[in-house]
Amino acid sequence: MSRLIITFVTCFVMDNLLVSFLPIDPIVSYYRAIPNVFLICLAFFTFYDKGIRPFIFAFIFGFLYDVCYADLIGLYTCLFPILTFIMVRFVSQTMPINLLSMMAMVAILVMGEESIVYFIVNTMKATNMSTWTFIKYILIPTAFFNMLVTIVLYPMLKFQFKIYQKKVLNDF
């Protein structure tokens, strides 16, 4: 269990580190890519544990995400468990665990999460960005960037969660 917590905390911190240390902005500085390493880790975890633990991690780290990174308290606390429910209930039941399916799922998941956040922020009139500008300059680069991060993290997360899955199966 401690390896699992360390994995989640590492992915949580990597969200901020990627923003700070990587030149995520492409050649033209209008484009922005938002790393979602924790969401990628949570998506992987839902394939290996279909119980209550993914919801607990989603809620706890959603709250931490609100406190550390977001201006709206409660946004990610509610959003991460909802996305986890959708993944556990529908996606992880039908998709195989391989790199291409994980990249596709991460792209759809990240695009859904960023769209919901944009909708809420736009509804509150906290941004004046048009929908087309958001899609062109933030949503699409974010999806591609997180797909590239998925390629890098896939072997490490798969190894960690397979160890976790074997340990859980041996406990029963």
Side-chain angles (χ1 to χ4, degrees), residues 3-145:
R3 291 176 71 133
L4 188 65
I5 293 171
I6 290 170
T7 302
F8 274 102
V9 169
T10 303
C11 290
F12 177 78
V13 172
M14 279 179 57
D15 275 342
N16 191 27
L17 292 177
L18 287 176
V19 170
S20 300
F21 295 116
L22 279 182
I24 295 174
D25 297 339
I27 296 169
V28 179
S29 64
Y30 295 117
Y31 294 96
R32 300 278 184 242
I34 302 165
N36 288 304
V37 180
F38 173 76
L39 197 57
I40 294 169
C41 183
L42 187 63
F44 273 86
F45 187 54
T46 60
F47 278 90
Y48 291 98
D49 189 348
K50 303 207 183 347
I52 193 74
R53 284 189 187 104
F55 296 104
I56 293 170
F57 280 107
F59 182 79
I60 291 171
F61 282 97
F63 179 74
L64 289 174
Y65 212 91
D66 284 336
V67 170
C68 295
Y69 302 137
D71 293 335
L72 299 170
I73 300 296
L75 176 65
Y76 291 100
T77 305
C78 295
L79 186 60
F80 283 167
I82 290 169
L83 292 174
T84 303
F85 175 76
I86 292 169
M87 286 186 291
V88 167
R89 181 76 177 155
F90 302 109
V91 179
S92 66
Q93 300 292 332
T94 59
M95 290 181 71
I97 304 174
N98 61 34
L99 182 60
L100 291 177
S101 65
M102 292 306 291
M103 286 174 56
M105 187 188 72
V106 164
I108 292 168
L109 188 65
V110 165
M111 289 172 71
E113 182 253 342
E114 292 298 329
S115 297
I116 292 169
V117 170
Y118 170 75
F119 174 75
I120 291 171
V121 170
N122 194 29
T123 302
M124 296 176 60
K125 302 295 182 196
T127 185
N128 57 359
M129 183 184 304
S130 71
T131 304
W132 176 248
T133 303
F134 167 73
I135 291 170
K136 183 177 179 184
Y137 293 114
I138 294 177
L139 191 63
I140 294 173
T142 297
F144 283 122
F145 177 76

